[in-house]
Each structure stands twice: as C-alpha cells, then as structure tokens.
Amino acid sequence: MSKQAAEHHHQAAEHYEHAARHHREAAKHHEAGDHLSAAHHAHTAQGHLHHATHHATEAAKAHVEHHGHKAAKAVAH
C-alpha cells in the first residue's frame, strides 16, 4: 500500500510542477499583452492542479487505509 501512496505523491508533485510552469507562462503572456495565450496557460495550469489534488487525495486515502484511524485524524486536520 505504501508503494501506491508513494506513486500518488510522485504524480501529485509532477502535476504541481507542471501547473507552476504554466502559471509562469501565463504571467509572461499577460505581461506581453497576449491575453489569449495567457488564458490558455492558466486553463492548462488549472487542469494540472485538479490532477495534482486528485493524486494528493488518493495518497492520503492510501495512508489512512494502511495506517488506520490515527492517519485519518491527521488527514482531517
């Protein structure tokens, strides 16, 4: 189970990093006045953030399933 949780953590990190790159690109395009490209990058970043959140949630669930109620309390806070 911890192997599965680790994979979700890795996937979450990858998606967070992709989201950050797209936000930086969006900022560059906004500064240049290219709002269409900025919107595209912002929207893409939002998708990566959604996937990152999913993987982070799955990792937390895996911890709860593996470690029981003590982990559930930690996740709830």
Side-chain angles (χ1 to χ4, degrees):
M1 189 56 80
S2 61
K3 203 172 201 181
Q4 183 182 11
E7 183 57 30
H8 281 298
H9 284 301
H10 287 298
Q11 290 293 317
E14 285 293 317
H15 282 292
Y16 283 125
E17 289 168 4
H18 284 291
R21 284 198 296 269
H22 281 288
H23 277 299
R24 283 190 283 276
E25 283 297 312
K28 283 188 218 174
H29 288 292
H30 267 292
E31 289 168 348
D34 183 358
H35 299 289
L36 184 62
S37 293
H40 166 76
H41 283 286
H43 182 73
T44 303
Q46 206 170 18
H48 282 293
L49 182 59
H50 172 76
H51 287 291
T53 301
H54 164 75
H55 285 292
T57 300
E58 290 302 311
K61 285 181 190 176
H63 284 295
V64 169
E65 289 172 4
H66 191 275
H67 297 290
H69 66 90
K70 288 181 182 178
K73 288 180 182 177
V75 171
H77 291 262

